[in-house]
Amino acid sequence: MGVAAIFIEDQAAPKKCGHMEGKRVIEQKSMVHKIEAACAARENDDFFLLARTDAIEPHGLRDALKRGAAYLEAGADGIYFEGATEVKQLEKIGQEFGKVPLAVSVLEGGGKTPWLPPAQFFDLGFSMLLYPTSIIFRVSKTIAQAAKDLKNGREMPQSDALNMTEFEEIVALQFWAQIENKFPV
């Protein structure tokens, strides 16, 4: 199928956004078994396994760091530390794990992890940065404004939008037309 990576997390069900309060994590031993099983099921060494821990909020940074080390020992290729709340925590994570692929997510507009420029995250040792809300929150605001404008009979200001040609370029319409021609239905 072309899948090159997967991440497995230690958050207990029911799962919540990693920046929400009240998360619970499974026992470290159970997560280690999940990682070992995933590693045993790998068909090749190129398949990347990222182990995520949500332990910072419920158990503190020390527990999350211990979990990260255990997950690497179990065979994970990288660690995703979710929910750091201050730069000092990010620095500590980078100091202890900066030699392995590290992931972190930053939820602009309400998340716990401080927003830093990507170069600063890279300097701290993080190589994978996730911004799950940055685009969707902006798009949602734009959609709400567009719906309000339509409701009020206001024409779309061209300065607030793309034109048709720009849109076709962004969505690579010509490329997809070639694909459709290669594989007609």
Side-chain angles (χ1 to χ4, degrees):
M1 290 179 52
V3 175
I6 190 170
F7 85 77
I8 300 174
E9 62 186 80
D10 63 6
Q11 193 180 137
K15 302 204 179 192
K16 296 182 175 189
C17 167
H19 291 250
M20 291 180 170
E21 300 292 327
K23 294 179 302 187
R24 296 177 305 117
V25 291
I26 62 174
E27 293 293 324
Q28 178 180 310
K29 179 173 61 174
S30 296
M31 178 64 170
V32 164
H33 291 313
K34 287 170 65 171
I35 294 167
E36 290 170 342
C39 289
R42 285 185 195 184
E43 292 186 12
N44 64 58
D45 290 336
D46 293 334
F47 191 81
F48 188 85
L49 176 61
L50 184 64
R52 170 177 156 165
T53 182
D54 282 84
I56 294 173
E57 189 254 321
H59 298 292
L61 182 60
R62 182 175 298 180
D63 184 61
L65 295 172
K66 285 174 33 182
R67 286 169 176 265
Y71 300 167
L72 288 171
E73 179 71 25
D77 300 305
I79 305 294
Y80 177 178
F81 285 93
E82 181 67 299
T85 59
E86 52 191 53
V87 174
K88 286 185 180 197
Q89 288 180 331
L90 296 167
E91 289 171 345
K92 180 73 171 163
I93 293 165
Q95 288 166 359
E96 293 204 21
F97 293 90
K99 303 289 187 233
V100 299
L102 284 179
V104 66
S105 61
V106 179
L107 279 70
E108 290 187 273
K112 292 181 176 192
T113 303
W115 190 94
L116 303 172
Q120 191 171 352
F121 275 113
F122 294 140
D123 288 345
L124 291 172
F126 292 88
S127 54
M128 295 173 274
L129 308 176
L130 295 82
Y131 296 94
T133 59
S134 298
I135 293 174
I136 197 155
F137 284 3
R138 290 181 189 192
V139 168
S140 297
K141 183 176 180 179
T142 300
I143 290 169
Q145 183 61 51
K148 183 178 175 182
D149 288 348
L150 289 170
K151 182 179 178 184
N152 294 327
R154 183 170 177 254
E155 185 177 357
M156 174 180 68
Q158 191 56 56
S159 63
D160 289 352
L162 301 172
N163 64 37
M164 190 60 148
T165 302
E166 293 167 327
F167 176 76
E168 289 175 2
E169 288 175 15
I170 286 174
V171 298
L173 198 61
Q174 287 183 334
F175 170 79
W176 293 111
Q178 291 171 350
I179 297 292
E180 288 176 346
N181 288 334
K182 273 186 174 178
F183 304 100
V185 179

